[in-house]
Structures are given as C-alpha cells and as structure tokens.
Amino acid sequence: MKSELALYIHVPFCLAKCHYCDFISYTFSYVAAGRWAAALQQELALWARLPVCSGRTLANIYIGGGTPSLLPPGLLGEVLAAVRSNFTVPPAAEITLEANPGTVEQSKLQLWRRLGVNRLSVGVQSLQEDHLRFLGRRHTARQAEEAVFSARAAGFEHISVDLIYGIPGLSYREWEETLRIVTGWPVVHLSAYALTVEETTPLGRMIAAGQVPAPDEDEMADQYEMLLDMAEASGLVQYEISNFARPGWECRHNLNYWLGGEYLGVGPAAWSYLDGRRFANPTGLEEYCHMVAEGKTAFEQAQPLSEREEVTEALLMGLRLRRGIDLADFQQRYGVDLLEQYRTVIQRYVQQGLLELAGENLRLTRRGLLLSNVVLREFV
C-alpha cells in the first residue's frame, strides 16, 4: 500500500518583491497567471500517470509563493479541481493558502472556504509601519489585523501568522508589543523567523553598500528568547525552532518535511522528494511551461540521494523539531546509530549544554535553539 503524499503548489506571482525575499516570483498579470494555471494542470496530470505518484492520497496541500492570495478565485478553483481529479484528497486533508494581508477580502475568504481551503497563513511580518516599509511589504498593520479577524469571521479556525525579528532598528519594546498583540488575536499557530540577508536581494545590496545596518546577532538572540517566553505564556507550544501552535494545531504539511516524508512540488522552482530522490522544477516561468508542454517532468532527471545525504538531511530536519529525534526509530529507518556515528560531536555539545538526551530522544536544549545553526552545521 502506497503511503500518503504531501503536495506543494508554488504560485510565482507578487505585486512587488519584498526587499529581503530571494524566492522565485514574478510581477502578477492575468495573462501570466492564466498560462501558469494551465501548465500546472497539465503537470498534475503528468505526475498522476507516473508509478511514483499514481493512486497516492494527498494528506495535505500547501499553496505557497509568491502571493497565492493574489490569484483570481476562478483560477485557484481550476487548480484545486485539477488536484482532486488526479489525486485522492480526503475530507480531512489540511489545505493551506498563504495570504498577504493587503490582498485579503471578505468575498475571497468565503470563496477560499468553498474551495476547501481550511488553513490560512497570513504574512504579517511586522506591526510597525516603518519596519513594514523597510521590508518592502505592501500592507499596513491595520490591514494585517483586519485580515486575521476577517478570516476568523469567515469561518477559518486554523489561522497562522508569520513574523520577522532581527529587523535593524526593531526595539525590544516594539517586538514585545508585536508579540503581545498577535498572541491576543484569534490565531492557533505562529511562525517567527530571524531576518535572513541574501546578497542578491535589495536588502543585501543596501547592507553591502553601507546604506543600512546589518541585523545585530545579540539583538536577534534577545528577541528570540522573548519569543519563546511570550509564546509559551500565551499557550502557543514550540514544536520546531521557528514554529509554535496550540496543541493539535501544528502545521501538518511542514511536519511532513521535518519527519522526512515524501512530497510533490508543482509549479516553477518547486522542489520534490520522491522515491529517495530530490529534484526541482525549472525556475523560469517560460522554461517551466515549455517543459510541461513537452510532456516532461523534472523527475526524469532526478538523481537519488546517497545514504550519507539521506541520513544527514534526516538528522538536520529532525533536530529542528523541539522533541528532537527518536534514536531507536532513526536507527530502524536508516540503519544508523547516531550516538555511535556522531559520538564526538554529540558529547561535545551535550557538555556545552546545547544538546541533551531526553529519554530516547536527542534534542536541542533551549540554549541550543539559540545556536542551532552552529550545532547543525557540525553534522554536515
């Protein structure tokens, strides 16, 4: 019997690119979106005919981007109809849509619900207008709040909010106020990420030119610790380095990544992991549409992961989870005794208070969460 599968749909369109973003996206137009949707429907049909996907049930669907909430509901409906005609989607499947607050309207919310979307991930990022402008966001703090409360009024129970900390100039008081306000909203999930600077982005170029300061690592650490404290106090339990949820409301799609489950990614630049192989679609919209028109999928050029690559990735993903890695399960699945193979690294970080053995699990300590990049890098 084939296992369940996760599906990621990449919507590569935005009104404008945020200053810090290095994801693949293009300026939205109805013509381009129509071509993308037609190609996507063809790609889904191609995948459904391959033995690796044929007959698979989709446990969850994640529609990300880009700005999926920009899509005309008719196009989104066509895409989801194509998903259901090619794969089994049970009624209990988690279906997430990423939404920019500036594109959320009551009429859209009701249509999304009718299309089966049952989880909304709202990209708030900040509640200070100057920081929103600095990040290049095209919405206001008031629009963010209205988007969340409108979604709840429309019947969405599973509402998640994204935030960014470590923004240059973000004060301790501002971050505390943001967390206080957001944790008082009707949300059951919170994702909070440290601002990452990529050289090729407008933000990266501004920092390189000395026009704006780089994020301060000490300030980021302080803000992360405040995040841990305030999320816990509000009943949002940390289950991954950057993710918090009320019990039972964890993001099932992302958990599938961290637990090493298989997933199919469709759309330009989408990644997949199937049959022990990882691969990516072309990043260009034209190239992607051409590939699909020729009846091809990226799977045909995929290379299998080596045993070492598979073990390393499972280790890095598993340690991101707050519960860590079940050592017995890991050994049974991958044939590797982590305490033996990585004895020196594990002993060093246990002694430094960054890793700990909690029953049968190896996990990061609270201090280890602050230095997770340092610890995880040692296992590569």
Side-chain angles (χ1 to χ4, degrees):
M1 183 177 177
K2 293 182 179 178
S3 62
E4 291 185 325
L5 186 65
L7 174 66
Y8 174 77
I9 299 172
H10 187 66
V11 182
F13 302 110
C14 289
L15 289 173
K17 210 171 184 67
C18 296
H19 296 161
Y20 58 91
C21 179
D22 70 337
F23 292 165
I24 299 299
S25 66
Y26 305 96
T27 302
F28 175 81
S29 77
Y30 287 99
V31 172
R35 293 189 63 227
W36 163 84
L40 196 81
Q41 292 171 65
Q42 289 179 275
E43 187 186 12
L44 287 165
L46 290 170
W47 277 112
R49 292 197 290 268
L50 295 180
V52 72
C53 284
S54 178
R56 300 288 289 269
T57 294
L58 298 180
N60 50 73
I61 301 168
Y62 194 102
I63 307 165
T67 308
S69 53
L70 269 178
L71 285 180
L75 278 188
L76 180 61
E78 289 178 15
V79 168
L80 288 174
V83 171
R84 292 186 171 95
S85 67
N86 287 289
F87 296 90
T88 300
V89 182
E94 175 189 271
I95 304 179
T96 301
L97 179 80
E98 289 184 345
N100 183 302
T103 63
V104 174
E105 302 165 4
Q106 194 65 41
S107 58
K108 280 187 178 180
L109 288 164
Q110 293 166 355
L111 284 167
W112 294 337
R113 291 272 294 159
R114 287 202 289 272
L115 292 174
V117 175
N118 52 26
R119 183 175 185 273
L120 211 60
S121 178
V122 185
V124 173
Q125 315 310 1
S126 175
L127 289 182
Q128 285 77 42
E129 303 299 338
D130 55 340
H131 298 314
L132 288 170
R133 285 191 295 271
F134 175 83
L135 295 171
R137 301 295 292 174
R138 294 173 67 91
H139 67 83
T140 65
R142 181 172 181 177
Q143 284 177 312
E145 183 173 25
E146 288 174 348
V148 169
F149 280 87
S150 294
R152 187 68 192 90
F156 281 94
E157 292 184 283
H158 200 166
I159 303 172
S160 177
V161 160
D162 282 7
L163 294 176
I164 293 177
Y165 61 93
I167 303 168
L170 176 64
S171 70
Y172 201 71
R173 181 192 59 76
E174 287 173 328
W175 181 234
E176 182 179 31
E177 180 185 28
T178 295
L179 291 172
R180 178 182 57 77
I181 292 172
V182 168
T183 54
W185 289 351
V187 300
V188 296
H189 190 281
L190 171 65
S191 299
Y193 303 99
L195 179 63
T196 302
V197 180
E198 302 292 346
E199 293 179 0
T200 57
T201 62
L203 177 59
R205 291 191 289 270
M206 285 189 287
I207 290 174
Q211 296 171 335
V212 297
D216 184 283
E217 291 189 4
D218 290 335
E219 288 181 357
M220 283 199 291
D222 289 342
Q223 289 167 11
Y224 184 68
E225 289 213 77
M226 177 182 283
L227 166 68
L228 297 182
D229 290 338
M230 292 189 67
E232 181 180 4
S234 69
L236 291 165
V237 178
Q238 185 182 30
Y239 69 99
E240 191 268 345
I241 290 175
S242 303
N243 286 272
F244 308 78
R246 303 202 184 283
W249 295 96
E250 297 83 2
C251 178
R252 283 152 43 192
H253 185 85
N254 286 342
L255 277 172
N256 182 69
Y257 292 147
W258 297 318
L259 293 172
E262 289 193 315
Y263 55 90
L264 169 63
V266 294
W271 286 77
S272 300
Y273 175 61
L274 294 164
D275 196 30
R277 290 182 271 184
R278 188 174 311 286
F279 45 94
N281 277 349
T283 58
L285 182 59
E286 293 298 325
E287 187 183 359
Y288 164 73
C289 291
H290 183 69
M291 177 190 77
V292 174
E294 291 188 334
K296 297 178 181 178
T297 66
F299 187 67
E300 296 166 4
Q301 297 155 351
Q303 297 296 319
L305 297 178
S306 67
E307 287 186 15
R308 179 174 178 81
E309 287 172 330
E310 192 172 22
V311 168
T312 300
E313 182 153 318
L315 175 59
L316 298 181
M317 288 291 187
L319 282 178
R320 292 191 64 86
L321 292 171
R322 193 64 190 93
R323 69 191 188 213
I325 295 171
D326 185 307
L327 295 170
D329 283 351
F330 196 97
Q331 185 166 3
Q332 182 177 16
R333 181 172 179 179
Y334 299 104
V336 173
D337 182 340
L338 289 178
L339 294 183
E340 180 61 32
Q341 183 157 327
Y342 295 94
R343 179 187 302 174
T344 303
V345 174
I346 291 173
Q347 285 181 347
R348 180 167 74 251
Y349 284 127
V350 167
Q351 290 170 358
Q352 293 178 13
L354 303 180
L355 284 174
E356 64 182 356
L357 288 168
E360 295 298 317
N361 286 30
L362 176 69
R363 68 182 190 184
L364 292 166
T365 63
R366 175 166 171 143
R367 183 164 171 262
L369 293 171
L370 293 168
L371 299 169
S372 59
N373 288 339
V374 174
V375 177
L376 297 178
R377 193 161 50 236
E378 285 289 314
F379 290 98
V380 177

